[in-house]
Amino acid sequence: MAGEIKSFQENIRKTFIWYSLTPVIVIVITAFIIFIAAWGISLRESTRDDNEGITKRIENVMNDYYSMVDDVSAVMVDSDSNNKKDAIFSAMYEATSDYDELGEMVILDGANNQIFSSSDGTYPFLTKRGMTNWGVWKLAKNNPNQTRTILFEGKLFVVRSVYENDKLQYGIFYIVPPEVIRNQFKGEDKTVFITDNLGWVYLYNNKVLMDDLGRVEPQLENTYGYTTIDGHIFYSYRNDSDMGISVYTISDIHRSIRTVETILVIIIVIFIGIILISYRNADNSSKEYTRDVKKIEQAFESVQQGDLDVSLDIDSSKEFQTIGRDFNQMLEGLKEEIAQNQELAENAAFSQVKQLESQFNPHFLFNTLDNIRFMAKIDAKAADKMIVSLSGLLRYSIRETRDEVTVREDLHNLQLYLNILQIRFNKRFSYSIDVSEEIYDCLIPKLVIQPLIENAIKYGFEGRETLDVKIRGTQHQDNIVFVCEDDGVGMDESLLAELKQQLEGEKNESSHLGLYNIHRRIQLMYKGDYGLNIESVKDRGTTVRVTIPKHR
């Protein structure tokens, strides 16, 4: 079932709402999506950049400590026993001159005896019996003559074992000052963890994301990117250094998401307000813009009901002023023709011809006016062309008082009608006109060709996307023959039989006016074997043939 046809005012109102709100909604939604995407990218980039910056600074510090331990290793091998202590302190001062703390260094011989310490502290985890194969010592012995890092008992060690001829000579152990490392991420607004490669935390600036054992939360350790912990959303990034240190930078985006949600709610509320205001303004605007069209519609309905005393007084625009003036002139002409026909009542055939000639299809006028109102908002040039064509059609129907016109004149009127159809249906409708020039000056009844096109539109378009109509006019012996052929849906046998039976009667008992008027006028005017012939095949099209005696 076809949907209910909306009024022009309703269509205008919906058009205003559509064209005013849709671009705004699309732009705001697009901007919001771009904002979220840019914010997410910025968050990931800043978290990664901060992590890489911290990692690089810590690696620079650790490289200094590595070089220092390597230098001390060289001192232990190459220097004599009297100068080793001074040389070790010299290497330590030189390596840590840019930092606030010297740190602690312990050196043990192969028998686990302490031979150097930079402070007075004791280190039972190094010197105690049974510790030489555990913890710090184990790392040093497993990597002979190599410098390594290990986190042990909350302290960060840089260790190196010195072997000669596969025999352990020394163990060098440097305890990194934690404040030196902490200074490398001091002031960061993100959560930072410095851990070993096993996840044990060495330093941090926020303890929230640590477990009870002193490790980072398992989700952070095993996940890069977004993760949820206790209902909070975080974005984490981890960098694993070759020196046995891992750096975590973690952004808590839960609060930011709450802010975004609040902004989204505000935007939705604003949009609801905009929609309500736009709906009200569109309703008022549609009433204002369609006021004159309603006047025209009411005037035509009055005429359709037989009231010929109506008049249109419109001065809102030139186009509608022209339509109103032509409408009034059309009624005046129609009333004059009625008066003349009443005076010529004795000539019934002549009077009937005039009556049939004056009938104009009101549905075409209503549809054209609706299209003009719509096109006035979409394509002003097309609307202007439709108004000019409609005005020409009205003038032709009321000003031309002759019973007969030349083929040239009727074709000119037909072109105005086709201009309107072409704008209404665009690419869905196509036509061609092939009329022999030798009959251009021949006389034919006024408005004899246009109803053929109306009939093709009425019956041909149903259920089809496109329609092609061909008009041909030729001289055949002493007659003029016009043929209107379309490729539409055609007619079934019952409708075709009904139309043919209608054409044979002297009175029209149905709603099919166009073709009957042509046929009846021709019979009344020429009193012969003239008129219309209709042939149609379902789904293949319809052909209407009009035969008129030739005369000039």
Side-chain angles (χ1 to χ4, degrees):
M1 180 181 295
E4 180 183 357
I5 299 177
K6 302 294 183 182
S7 67
F8 183 72
Q9 179 181 334
E10 179 69 14
N11 291 334
I12 286 291
R13 183 176 62 80
K14 289 183 177 180
T15 300
F16 283 163
I17 293 175
W18 175 259
Y19 283 103
S20 61
L21 287 182
T22 302
V24 176
I25 293 174
V26 171
I27 290 172
V28 173
I29 292 176
T30 302
F32 189 76
I33 293 173
I34 293 174
F35 166 75
I36 294 297
W39 172 73
I41 294 173
S42 175
L43 173 72
R44 294 193 295 270
E45 293 293 328
S46 64
T47 304
R48 184 190 66 186
D49 291 345
D50 289 349
N51 184 285
E52 291 178 350
I54 294 170
T55 302
K56 185 175 181 180
R57 292 194 294 271
I58 292 177
E59 286 181 343
N60 290 337
V61 173
M62 295 304 295
N63 283 331
D64 290 340
Y65 291 148
Y66 269 47
S67 297
M68 177 186 67
V69 171
D70 292 343
D71 292 342
V72 171
S73 174
V75 168
M76 296 302 298
V77 174
D78 299 334
S79 301
D80 55 53
S81 59
N82 295 327
N83 297 324
K84 284 182 179 181
K85 185 174 183 179
D86 292 339
I88 292 172
F89 273 112
S90 176
M92 290 181 65
Y93 285 128
E94 183 178 353
T96 61
S97 60
D98 293 334
Y99 311 123
D100 294 335
E101 296 188 35
L102 182 66
E104 299 181 48
M105 180 174 288
V106 181
I107 300 177
L108 306 178
D109 62 14
N112 207 28
N113 297 314
Q114 180 173 307
I115 59 176
F116 175 83
S117 175
S118 62
S119 67
D120 297 332
T122 58
Y123 310 96
F125 57 85
L126 293 174
T127 58
K128 188 177 179 180
R129 180 176 297 179
M131 298 299 295
T132 56
N133 293 315
W134 183 254
V136 181
W137 264 114
K138 182 178 180 181
L139 177 67
K141 289 181 177 181
N142 288 343
N143 297 274
N145 295 320
Q146 297 181 27
T147 305
R148 289 289 184 269
T149 303
I150 186 173
L151 181 64
F152 186 76
E153 294 190 357
K155 299 179 185 295
L156 185 64
F157 288 84
V158 178
V159 302
R160 183 183 178 93
S161 59
V162 180
Y163 279 81
E164 287 185 4
N165 299 324
D166 297 331
K167 183 178 180 182
L168 177 63
Q169 300 295 321
Y170 305 102
I172 304 172
F173 308 93
Y174 179 73
I175 303 175
V176 176
E179 286 303 318
V180 174
I181 303 299
R182 185 176 284 111
N183 287 338
Q184 308 310 311
F185 60 90
K186 188 176 182 180
E188 289 287 337
D189 57 348
K190 299 178 179 62
T191 299
V192 179
F193 285 110
I194 309 299
T195 72
D196 62 8
N197 291 340
L198 298 178
W200 294 99
V201 177
Y202 171 51
L203 296 174
Y204 56 86
N205 63 358
N206 188 341
K207 194 178 181 180
V208 174
L209 299 176
M210 287 176 53
D211 62 16
D212 297 336
L213 299 177
R215 296 169 58 93
V216 296
E217 288 287 350
Q219 292 105 310
L220 296 176
E221 184 178 358
N222 300 322
T223 304
Y224 291 90
Y226 296 99
T227 186
T228 302
I229 300 176
D230 296 333
H232 280 252
I233 302 175
F234 299 90
Y235 182 82
S236 63
Y237 189 86
R238 186 180 78 187
N239 225 329
D240 296 324
S241 171
D242 294 336
M243 297 179 176
I245 295 175
S246 296
V247 178
Y248 292 79
T249 50
I250 305 162
S251 297
D252 185 352
I253 63 175
H254 190 75
R255 183 177 299 176
S256 299
I257 291 178
R258 291 293 186 188
T259 302
V260 172
E261 290 175 349
T262 302
I263 294 174
L264 181 59
V265 170
I266 293 173
I267 291 175
I268 292 174
V269 172
I270 292 174
F271 265 118
I272 292 175
I274 292 175
I275 290 173
L276 294 176
I277 294 173
S278 299
Y279 190 89
R280 180 176 179 181
N281 291 341
D283 188 59
N284 294 335
S285 298
S286 63
K287 290 179 181 179
E288 179 68 22
Y289 283 118
T290 59
R291 182 180 56 192
D292 291 337
V293 179
K294 282 190 173 295
K295 289 182 180 179
I296 298 173
E297 182 181 5
Q298 291 170 359
F300 274 104
E301 287 179 351
S302 297
V303 172
Q304 201 172 20
Q305 294 171 5
D307 183 6
L308 302 182
D309 294 326
V310 297
S311 65
L312 284 175
D313 183 16
I314 303 175
D315 57 3
S316 60
S317 65
K318 290 184 177 180
E319 293 82 2
F320 286 116
Q321 191 177 41
T322 300
I323 290 178
R325 184 174 62 250
D326 290 344
F327 175 83
N328 293 334
Q329 292 177 357
M330 180 187 71
L331 285 185
E332 291 298 325
L334 184 60
K335 287 189 287 187
E336 288 178 5
E337 288 189 10
I338 292 176
Q340 292 173 0
N341 289 340
Q342 289 175 348
E343 293 177 2
L344 299 175
E346 67 278 3
N347 192 344
F350 177 78
S351 176
Q352 188 175 8
V353 168
K354 283 293 184 182
Q355 182 183 8
L356 292 171
E357 184 178 309
S358 65
Q359 292 185 13
F360 201 88
N361 189 347
H363 297 291
F364 169 75
L365 291 174
F366 294 153
N367 290 335
T368 302
L369 288 172
D370 278 346
N371 275 270
I372 290 173
R373 293 191 328 192
F374 183 77
M375 294 302 294
K377 298 299 178 183
I378 305 303
D379 188 345
K381 291 184 178 179
D384 183 72
K385 185 175 181 181
M386 291 184 75
I387 290 173
V388 172
S389 298
L390 179 60
S391 177
L393 287 175
L394 293 175
R395 288 193 184 98
Y396 183 76
S397 66
I398 62 176
R399 290 184 178 177
E400 186 53 70
T401 59
R402 292 175 295 164
D403 299 332
E404 295 178 312
V405 296
T406 65
V407 173
R408 178 181 285 103
E409 291 171 323
D410 215 49
L411 287 177
H412 176 72
N413 174 74
L414 178 65
Q415 188 61 56
L416 296 177
Y417 178 73
L418 290 171
N419 289 343
I420 295 175
L421 294 182
Q422 195 72 67
I423 296 174
R424 280 183 56 192
F425 297 106
N426 202 352
K427 294 181 179 179
R428 296 181 59 205
F429 175 72
S430 61
Y431 67 91
S432 63
I433 300 177
D434 182 18
V435 176
S436 175
E437 292 185 0
E438 65 181 359
I439 66 171
Y440 270 19
D441 295 326
C442 294
L443 294 176
I444 61 174
K446 183 176 68 174
L447 294 173
V448 73
I449 306 177
Q450 177 180 322
L452 305 182
I453 305 292
E454 292 179 358
N455 183 75
I457 294 294
K458 181 177 180 180
Y459 294 103
F461 253 129
E462 184 177 0
R464 289 178 60 88
E465 287 295 324
T466 62
L467 180 70
D468 180 69
V469 178
K470 294 182 175 63
I471 297 291
R472 299 192 303 274
T474 59
Q475 176 182 343
H476 181 71
Q477 296 179 356
D478 294 330
N479 296 331
I480 296 175
V481 178
F482 290 100
V483 178
C484 177
E485 182 180 1
D486 67 72
D487 62 350
V489 296
M491 306 180 195
D492 53 37
E493 294 181 358
S494 60
L495 178 58
L496 182 60
E498 177 186 347
L499 288 176
K500 288 185 175 182
Q501 183 179 2
Q502 173 193 338
L503 294 179
E504 293 174 359
E506 294 184 358
K507 187 176 181 181
N508 184 16
E509 300 291 343
S510 71
S511 60
H512 306 294
L513 297 176
L515 298 183
Y516 176 84
N517 283 359
I518 298 174
H519 185 70
R520 187 61 178 159
R521 285 167 57 201
I522 293 173
Q523 286 186 331
L524 290 171
M525 292 176 68
Y526 302 118
K527 305 297 183 181
D529 189 16
Y530 305 108
L532 270 68
N533 178 266
I534 305 175
E535 297 296 332
S536 181
V537 178
K538 189 66 174 177
D539 297 325
R540 294 182 62 181
T542 301
T543 301
V544 180
R545 183 184 302 272
V546 181
T547 304
I548 303 170
K550 179 186 176 183
H551 64 289
R552 295 182 183 274

